[in-house]
Amino acid sequence: MYVLGLESSCDETSAAVLSMDEASGVRDIKSNIVASQIDIHAQYGGVVPEIASRAHIESVTQVTKKALDTAGITARDLGCVAVTSHPGLIGALLVGVNFGKSLAFANQIPLVGVDHIKAHVAAAYLTDPELKPPFLALVVSGGHTSFYLVSDFTKFEEIGSTRDDAIGEAFDKIARVMGMPYPGGAALDRIAYEGRPGAFTFPSPALTGDNLDFSFSGIKTAALNIINGYAQREEELPVADIARGYLESIVTAVTKKIRLALNQTGANAFVMAGGVAANSHLREAVLKLCKNKKVSCHIPSQGLCGDNGAMVAAAGYYDFLTGVRAGTDLNASASDDM
Ligand code: KG4
Ligand code: ZN
């Protein structure tokens, strides 16, 4: 069946059409159109919620039309409309939810409201058509850093999380103060290759003990202090060296907690998803760790790590299979409750 996925939780308006048939193992991306607002928000150094909502309104219809046209279908061919309903920026979410609801209502198509975090994990099903729960998952994004036990396509149990900032915020903030455009995660990823290993060391964002929690406030403050020191002394900032040390500390902390989580849960499959899962240093370290531990490792292709409609359609499809249907009263929610 064809599933339309709509995503508007933050700063990407996206629509995708998937052809899905779990019985015969078909998970095909027919189209995945992403209209990014990054250029608009970059001038403010971060996402401006009101501007995001307005930009979604302007593009959601055209993006959806393009997704349907590229897939070579019309709305009437759809078996399900899946739309991100939570969590995210409330005004941004409302645009997608209301659009999806109207499209489903007008064409008499079942509607499913999708959890954005579950959608990030579902991107892994599209990269690895053989992948099935149970597995351990880590979502690393601009808003989240959490471990989940995924016992079924729709059943998630959170077993660890950040106590303060998300990993993506920690990247974006430091990238910004070092002069990189928003969102700086990808720029920091690239420039770190030019830095000298060990030139700067940072406190670990992995909390001590046998918990699966993180705290990014300490490492962020440490980096800010170093950067401010250079500014005060009017010395040239060693951007690449700082990026290298900062990334090394984060990658070491994340892999340490993944190792612990694998040991504690005995999971033999692991998924890492979310925008930060595009980070090349992190991908390499995690693939190596899983290889050493003989755990099968699944990270969505880089193009499917950031927010996109295909991941929403995939998550919505599995909700649909369990009989979940949203009514015409479907609402958006900013909160994290799954
Ligand atoms: O999942 P996502 O697209 O949006 C949220 O749901 O938050 O994640 C966006 C985050 C941003 O913080 C961005 O800087 C980060 O993902 N990101 C990266 C990389 N590419 C995107 N962080 C580190 N390295 C990258 N290559
Ligand atoms: Zn996201």
Side-chain angles (χ1 to χ4, degrees):
M1 77 185 240
Y2 291 115
V3 184
L4 177 75
L6 296 169
E7 160 61 35
S8 73
S9 68
C10 190
D11 56 354
E12 333 275 356
T13 317
S14 181
V17 174
L18 301 186
S19 171
M20 299 290 277
D21 183 5
E22 200 56 21
S24 53
V26 176
R27 298 174 183 171
D28 279 351
I29 302 176
K30 295 292 177 193
S31 61
N32 192 16
I33 311 299
V34 182
S36 176
Q37 306 172 6
I38 281 175
D39 291 348
I40 308 172
H41 299 293
Q43 39 189 314
Y44 305 99
V47 178
V48 182
E50 160 117 13
I51 295 176
S53 311
R54 290 171 186 272
H56 286 305
I57 287 262
E58 280 169 13
S59 55
V60 67
T61 309
Q62 281 309 314
V63 166
T64 305
K65 184 175 182 317
K66 199 165 168 193
L68 292 169
D69 289 350
T70 306
I73 64 166
T74 70
R76 285 193 191 84
D77 298 318
L78 294 167
C80 174
V81 173
V83 58
T84 304
S85 56
H86 64 282
L89 301 171
I90 191 66
L93 287 165
L94 283 168
V95 175
V97 166
N98 211 28
F99 184 83
K101 212 193 280 198
S102 310
L103 191 76
F105 180 69
N107 294 284
Q108 297 294 299
I109 304 160
L111 176 71
V112 175
V114 171
D115 181 290
H116 184 79
I117 306 306
K118 289 182 171 174
H120 270 302
V121 172
Y125 300 131
L126 301 173
T127 303
D128 292 310
E130 308 284 301
L131 175 65
K132 283 183 171 47
F135 52 74
L136 170 74
L138 172 66
V139 174
V140 279
S141 72
H144 293 82
T145 316
S146 301
F147 281 105
Y148 300 94
L149 272 179
V150 181
S151 54
D152 201 346
F153 285 103
T154 59
K155 293 201 181 78
F156 283 54
E157 182 196 347
E158 190 184 285
I159 55 169
S161 188
T162 176
R163 305 244 178 115
D164 41 50
D165 301 328
I167 187 169
E169 286 175 271
F171 279 130
D172 294 347
K173 173 78 197 234
I174 296 310
R176 179 153 74 115
V177 294
M178 292 206 295
M180 295 165 210
Y182 171 85
L188 212 64
D189 183 352
R190 279 191 300 275
I191 201 152
Y193 286 104
E194 294 162 28
R196 290 170 299 149
F200 288 91
T201 53
F202 290 95
S204 171
L207 289 181
T208 49
D210 57 4
N211 60 74
L212 299 174
D213 295 340
F214 299 96
S215 164
F216 289 91
S217 61
I219 185 172
K220 227 176 65 179
T221 307
L224 286 174
N225 287 342
I226 290 171
I227 294 162
N228 290 338
Y230 275 88
Q232 275 158 11
R233 296 190 301 273
E234 294 182 5
E235 287 172 11
E236 195 186 330
L237 191 66
V239 173
D241 285 346
I242 294 174
R244 178 85 183 226
Y246 194 72
L247 242 153
E248 273 171 354
S249 174
I250 291 179
V251 169
T252 305
V254 172
T255 46
K256 179 181 158 188
K257 288 294 181 187
I258 296 171
R259 187 181 296 109
L260 184 62
L262 289 170
N263 290 344
Q264 284 181 357
T265 60
N268 51 26
F270 176 68
V271 169
M272 181 170 74
V276 178
N279 186 275
S280 59
H281 306 260
L282 190 57
R283 292 172 83 92
E284 196 186 316
V286 169
L287 285 167
K288 197 169 144 199
L289 168 72
C290 288
K291 198 171 167 202
N292 286 343
K293 291 194 70 68
K294 298 192 171 43
V295 165
S296 71
C297 191
H298 310 267
I299 309 175
S301 57
Q302 274 171 315
L304 288 175
C305 285
D307 294 346
N308 67 85
M311 68 183 200
V312 178
Y317 171 70
Y318 293 109
D319 278 330
F320 175 89
L321 288 187
T322 64
V324 169
R325 302 288 183 273
T328 45
D329 59 348
L330 176 67
N331 209 337
S333 160
S335 89
D336 269 7
D337 301 336
M338 281 188 155

